[in-house]
Amino acid sequence: MSSITEELKRTFDLASLRQRAKSLTRPADLEKMSEITKRYSRESSKQTKLYNRDYKTRVEKALQARIDKAGVKDRTLKHRLFGSDNFDKFALTRQAHRDVQHDHSRRMSQLASSETQELDVLVSTAEQRDSTKQELRDKTRDDFEYATDRRTGPARRH
């Protein structure tokens, strides 16, 4: 349950950052955002293509690793009625398929996390720069209003 919640949170964070990045105003920022999203889009499609192309080979390697692990000598004494078959073909094959699918899912999740991190840095620096400019504009406007206020005494605004 928590992995589904975390995956949903990561997906939402990435989508909201992409939306915030689209609202950037400087052309250099927009170009950088476009480059980041295109790069990760290419990489994810490449990983998906490799996953689909090499799925059988990956499953065979994972199955061989599972068989090798099951063949390791176990030094604990178990009666054969209470033990389990370490070489159950269907169970090992199912687990190999799961291993390959989880590995692909982990790779895609890692790509999404990296893209989120890069977009977050870009958006936060752009927003910080824009807020600094806005504060400077506001201060300049306030100083100008104060300097041009010709009222005297208590009627003058501070």
Side-chain angles (χ1 to χ4, degrees):
M1 174 98 167
S2 65
S3 65
I4 293 172
T5 306
E6 291 170 3
E7 186 67 30
L8 186 61
K9 183 182 180 325
R10 278 194 296 266
T11 303
F12 180 76
D13 288 343
L14 180 59
S16 63
L17 271 174
R18 284 179 179 166
Q19 190 63 33
R20 282 176 51 198
K22 287 180 182 178
S23 68
L24 296 176
T25 55
R26 288 185 54 202
D29 292 337
L30 289 171
E31 186 176 318
K32 179 79 173 167
M33 182 268 306
S34 175
E35 185 268 326
I36 289 171
T37 55
K38 284 180 183 177
R39 179 168 27 105
Y40 280 103
S41 175
R42 279 193 309 266
E43 186 62 31
S44 65
S45 66
K46 175 184 162 188
Q47 288 296 326
T48 304
K49 190 183 297 183
L50 288 173
Y51 170 73
N52 291 331
R53 188 186 73 195
D54 299 337
Y55 184 79
K56 282 179 130 178
T57 307
R58 291 179 184 189
V59 169
E60 289 171 3
K61 285 182 182 178
L63 181 61
Q64 187 61 45
R66 286 271 169 189
I67 290 172
D68 291 345
K69 187 177 177 183
V72 172
K73 197 82 148 151
D74 187 17
R75 300 282 184 203
T76 60
L77 180 62
K78 289 183 189 174
H79 194 276
R80 65 182 176 163
L81 294 176
F82 301 114
S84 62
D85 184 13
N86 290 337
F87 291 101
D88 182 13
K89 179 181 179 182
F90 296 112
L92 289 174
T93 305
R94 255 192 334 267
Q95 192 59 43
H97 281 281
R98 276 192 221 120
D99 290 344
V100 171
Q101 292 165 358
H102 286 275
D103 184 51
H104 176 69
S105 176
R106 184 187 51 77
R107 284 183 184 160
M108 298 305 285
S109 177
Q110 199 171 24
L111 280 175
S113 296
S114 297
E115 182 180 4
T116 301
Q117 187 177 17
E118 283 190 41
L119 284 176
D120 188 33
V121 168
L122 175 68
V123 168
S124 63
T125 55
E127 286 177 348
Q128 185 179 21
R129 182 184 57 240
D130 291 345
S131 69
T132 305
K133 284 182 181 179
Q134 185 64 34
E135 289 172 5
L136 185 60
R137 280 189 216 120
D138 291 344
K139 182 173 179 356
T140 307
R141 185 190 69 233
D142 292 343
D143 289 345
F144 179 75
E145 286 176 359
Y146 181 75
T148 58
D149 190 4
R150 295 179 187 240
R151 292 178 283 181
T152 58
R156 186 174 185 151
R157 287 181 271 160
H158 288 62

